[in-house]
Amino acid sequence: MRKLFILLLVPLFIITSCSEKENTNFVFVEGGSFKNTNSTYYDKDVTVSNFYIGKYEVTQKEWVEIMGSNPSEFQGENLPVENVNWYDCVEYCNLRSSKEGLEQYYTIDKNKKDPYNDNVLDEIKWNVTINEGANGYRLPTEQEWEFAAGGGQMSKNYTYSGSNTINEVGYYWCNSGDKDLKGTKWQWSALQSNNCKTKPVGSKAPNELGIYDASGNVREWCWNWHTDASAPKGRVLKGGGWIGADYCCEASFQGNYEANGKGSDTGFRLCRGE
């Protein structure tokens, strides 16, 4: 009887260990209403459900393992992947889901144009729809991203993700190079001569939930369309990047970019339902 008891425990231990390993790079975010008073959605009738979000921006190592090549301008396994457009990211989500035995969250029809997308700069316009209830990887919605970046239920009302001082939590144009550029007027030539670029993920302090780089390093794609009807139709980018101003790194800032747009300051992080 004792031998049988030991044998029954072994598979349970293996299952538990695998589960913990799979969740190592994800943070559980308890849903609810927005607590951060700086949020766009504070004191609004907006809530989010429980979800998981990546502690870190997707790295180049993670990208290459799934996609086979590295599009990034600044090369390094632990640097965030960049130079990826919105379509690249949703495709990555599906391929990684399949590799890990998860149900794909997106249905991607490359032969059918999205009737909602009238941006003349976007020549791709794949028709991408979601599979409700699928357990695969996906992009966060803008609300989920802002909720998590703002500290969720543990929010301390920081302006940036984890601090009121950008240098503590994020890389932007003033601190992403060889020396501090504060006091210098933004100039592309100044960034180039200062060797400004992305930095390894997790190099700065995390926010209240243990999420890194939600302010700065690279801008992050979200699922949603941008809400400004007067602007060209694009998808939302959040968090600011190494090349931009400090105000772009505020958790509430909403960037707009055509879905096929790419840049050395543009990446993403993963999300999953509960």
Side-chain angles (χ1 to χ4, degrees), residues 53-268:
I53 195 166
K55 287 183 182 180
Y56 311 104
E57 294 160 334
V58 173
T59 65
Q60 293 174 32
K61 181 177 186 294
E62 291 174 315
W63 181 269
V64 172
E65 285 174 350
I66 301 299
M67 307 300 280
S69 60
N70 189 352
S72 304
E73 179 173 335
F74 305 110
Q75 298 274 316
E77 284 193 346
N78 204 37
L79 294 176
V81 68
E82 22 93 356
N83 266 332
V84 290
N85 64 35
W86 186 89
Y87 301 105
D88 295 329
C89 296
V90 296
E91 191 163 39
Y92 172 90
C93 288
N94 271 4
L95 291 173
R96 180 163 170 177
S97 295
S98 293
K99 183 176 181 180
E100 297 184 16
L102 304 173
E103 184 182 359
Q104 293 186 353
Y105 190 80
Y106 300 113
T107 296
I108 303 173
D109 189 342
K110 299 182 180 181
N111 298 312
K112 181 180 179 182
K113 299 294 185 182
D114 185 344
Y116 182 75
N117 188 351
D118 61 3
N119 191 320
V120 296
L121 298 176
D122 184 354
E123 77 284 358
I124 298 178
K125 294 186 174 73
W126 293 345
N127 193 54
V128 181
T129 55
I130 63 175
N131 302 314
E132 290 284 358
N135 64 354
Y137 296 109
R138 60 181 175 84
L139 295 176
T141 65
E142 181 188 8
Q143 291 82 7
E144 287 173 328
W145 190 100
E146 190 167 321
F147 184 81
Q153 298 292 344
M154 300 173 64
S155 178
K156 297 181 180 178
N157 300 318
Y158 293 130
T159 299
Y160 306 103
S161 184
S163 178
N164 287 323
T165 304
I166 182 61
N167 283 325
E168 294 178 354
V169 292
Y171 291 104
Y172 69 120
W173 79 277
C174 284
N175 67 357
S176 61
D178 296 333
K179 62 182 180 180
D180 191 347
L181 291 179
K182 279 187 176 178
T184 303
K185 185 177 179 180
W186 190 98
Q187 290 181 328
W188 176 239
S189 58
L191 272 73
Q192 286 181 306
S193 61
N194 195 41
N195 196 33
C196 292
K197 57 184 178 181
T198 57
K199 304 296 182 182
V201 300
S203 299
K204 292 284 188 177
N207 77 351
E208 300 94 315
L209 298 176
I211 298 168
Y212 295 83
D213 299 305
S215 287
N217 216 3
V218 291
R219 304 183 295 172
E220 300 178 19
W221 286 110
C222 292
W223 164 257
N224 305 72
W225 292 102
H226 193 268
T227 55
D228 185 355
S230 65
K233 196 166 271 98
R235 298 283 182 170
V236 170
L237 284 167
K238 298 287 283 184
W242 67 270
I243 199 174
D246 53 353
Y247 70 86
C248 297
C249 299
E250 295 178 8
S252 61
F253 183 80
Q254 185 190 60
N256 181 26
Y257 204 16
E258 55 267 19
N260 68 326
K262 296 183 179 183
S264 60
D265 65 336
T266 306
F268 70 115

